[in-house]
Amino acid sequence: MSEYQQQHSPTAYGQDGDALPPVEQHAQQYETVRNAHETELIEDYVELIGDLLRHRGEARAADIATRMAVSQATVSKMIRRLNELGLVTSKPYRSLFLTEEGQKMAEISRSRHDVVLHFLRALGVDDSTARIDAEGMEHHVSDKTLTIMQRFTEQQRT
Amino acid sequence: MSEYQQQHSPTAYGQDGDALPPVEQHAQQYETVRNAHETELIEDYVELIGDLLRHRGEARAADIATRMAVSQATVSKMIRRLNELGLVTSKPYRSLFLTEEGQKMAEISRSRHDVVLHFLRALGVDDSTARIDAEGMEHHVSDKTLTIMQRFTEQQRT
DNA sequence: GATAATTGTTAGCCATGGCTAAACTGTTTA
DNA sequence: TAAACAGTTTAGCCATGGCTAACAATTATC
Ligand SMILES: [Mn+2]
Ligand SMILES: [Mn+2]
Ligand SMILES: [Mn+2]
Ligand SMILES: [Mn+2]
């Protein structure tokens, strides 16, 4: 491991606050991010389908495509995957519906999303920015952090 | 647009706090996330190479592979991309170096990363969790939010 | 009821980011 | 100095998530 042959940096930087984390911990950071990326899109689809069902009573592929700014072909393909994963049921040319499992995922995702969004607003971020940031951040916030965010938001509200 | 044919939801949910955002805004959320994903991994590589150079004096492919928990083949392929993007210079079987542009990106990424990490700690998140969350969150935090996070951290420090 | 418009599906393309296996280069050590 | 080892590269595989183009089905309009 070349990384350990040279213990002292020859540059003038020395200690500048943050050292490199231990290898195992560092590796775990990236692994966790990769895992999040695997489920991220699935969650967004399921969450959106749930939201469309709640707010509009139906979830059509065309609406998903518009809201996600993605082609209908992309949505169609994705729906097949969601079907295979047992998250949605779909008859051709009909509205989508969520399975039990899909509904569970939708609820969890929506609640996570809400906690992050409300937290950002409580922190002083304007609504439109908060919405954009929350859409990405939500998938990378641990349960621990989520709890802390929630507490912060509640305290702020008083 | 079927989404607008049915204005009133037939379910009992009615208004429950958060309505669906307007289509254009909603679409922009997802687009922004997709854009972030395109540069995310590149930034992490460049940032890590910069950190290895600073702390160890050299950045070897093998070390990157270990730290990222990824195969050496994956790293090798990625280095070719970084090269093509003009972010690193590399002679075969030698340590990597960052170009001017690569150094700029590394600095920006590191500083972003630090702001998010320190913010999470200031918020009360334990170090190890903060590190994991920051690794993913950093790519989805807007400049506006970043500024607010920085202010928060400084206030907390007093 | 025929035609037009909308909606959905399929086929096939591409880039990205993983992987394993095999070959190659450079360094260390017997 | 030759062999062994560590590090690097290449080839080729796969899944994911985009796209366009062509076609099919449903729904709306005349
Ligand atoms: Mn979400
Ligand atoms: Mn999201
Ligand atoms: Mn980073
Ligand atoms: Mn990162």
Side-chain angles (χ1 to χ4, degrees):
Chain A
M1 300 232 159
S2 69
E3 196 171 337
Y4 291 109
Q5 266 151 318
Q6 172 146 29
Q7 287 292 355
H8 306 286
S9 167
T11 73
Y13 291 100
Q15 5 257 80
D16 56 343
D18 294 289
L20 284 167
V23 194
E24 306 76 25
Q25 192 186 0
H26 209 168
Q28 223 228 310
Q29 293 177 205
Y30 296 114
E31 269 174 5
T32 304
V33 172
R34 283 195 298 269
N35 289 339
H37 283 159
E38 274 178 29
T39 48
E40 188 165 336
L41 192 58
I42 304 281
E43 284 169 19
D44 281 343
Y45 266 87
V46 168
E47 190 190 339
L48 177 54
I49 292 168
D51 286 348
L52 287 170
L53 287 172
R54 268 190 316 125
H55 291 292
R56 301 255 187 275
E58 59 175 8
R60 314 295 304 248
D63 299 334
I64 298 174
T66 311
R67 290 217 165 245
M68 291 214 167
V70 128
S71 76
Q72 292 198 358
T74 296
V75 173
S76 198
K77 209 198 240 185
M78 198 62 194
I79 288 169
R80 193 169 37 227
R81 273 196 71 207
L82 296 177
N83 232 310
E84 284 160 9
L85 293 170
L87 294 167
V88 310
T89 59
S90 65
K91 292 169 206 152
Y93 298 96
R94 290 277 167 269
S95 170
L96 299 169
F97 293 97
L98 295 172
T99 63
E100 281 289 314
E101 204 192 329
Q103 285 183 37
K104 249 179 247 161
M105 182 183 281
E107 264 171 55
I108 291 169
S109 299
R110 185 171 61 87
S111 125
R112 259 191 131 61
H113 198 138
D114 282 353
V115 170
V116 175
L117 178 58
H118 295 146
F119 168 77
L120 286 174
R121 290 203 281 231
L123 197 65
V125 180
D126 65 283
D127 181 77
S128 141
T129 303
R131 280 178 187 276
I132 290 173
D133 289 3
E135 191 62 74
M137 286 172 59
E138 56 170 346
H139 310 280
H140 303 279
V141 176
S142 62
D143 285 346
K144 273 189 192 170
T145 302
L146 211 67
T147 304
I148 292 173
M149 285 180 168
Q150 204 160 15
R151 261 206 303 272
F152 178 91
T153 306
E154 273 156 23
Q155 279 174 358
Q156 216 63 6
R157 213 200 308 278
T158 59
Chain B
M1 308 245 148
S2 68
E3 196 171 339
Y4 291 107
Q5 267 150 319
Q6 173 148 26
Q7 288 291 356
H8 305 287
S9 165
T11 72
Y13 291 101
Q15 7 256 80
D16 55 342
D18 294 289
L20 285 168
V23 195
E24 306 77 24
Q25 191 185 2
H26 209 170
Q28 224 229 310
Q29 293 176 205
Y30 296 113
E31 269 174 3
T32 305
V33 173
R34 282 196 298 269
N35 289 340
H37 282 157
E38 274 177 30
T39 47
E40 188 165 338
L41 191 59
I42 304 281
E43 284 168 21
D44 282 343
Y45 267 87
V46 168
E47 190 190 340
L48 177 53
I49 292 167
D51 286 348
L52 287 171
L53 286 172
R54 267 189 318 126
H55 291 293
R56 302 254 187 275
E58 59 175 9
R60 315 293 307 249
D63 299 334
I64 299 174
T66 311
R67 290 215 167 246
M68 291 214 168
V70 127
S71 77
Q72 292 198 357
T74 296
V75 172
S76 198
K77 209 198 236 182
M78 198 63 191
I79 288 170
R80 193 171 36 229
R81 275 196 69 208
L82 297 177
N83 231 311
E84 284 161 10
L85 293 170
L87 295 167
V88 310
T89 59
S90 65
K91 291 169 208 153
Y93 300 95
R94 289 276 166 272
S95 170
L96 299 170
F97 293 97
L98 294 172
T99 62
E100 281 290 314
E101 204 191 330
Q103 286 183 36
K104 250 178 246 161
M105 182 184 280
E107 264 170 55
I108 291 169
S109 299
R110 186 171 60 88
S111 125
R112 259 191 131 59
H113 198 137
D114 282 353
V115 170
V116 175
L117 177 58
H118 295 147
F119 168 77
L120 286 174
R121 290 203 282 231
L123 197 65
V125 180
D126 65 282
D127 181 77
S128 140
T129 304
R131 279 176 189 276
I132 289 174
D133 289 3
E135 190 62 73
M137 285 173 59
E138 56 170 345
H139 312 280
H140 302 278
V141 176
S142 62
D143 285 347
K144 273 188 191 171
T145 302
L146 210 66
T147 305
I148 291 173
M149 285 181 169
Q150 203 159 16
R151 261 206 302 273
F152 179 90
T153 306
E154 274 157 22
Q155 278 174 358
Q156 216 64 6
R157 214 201 306 278
T158 60

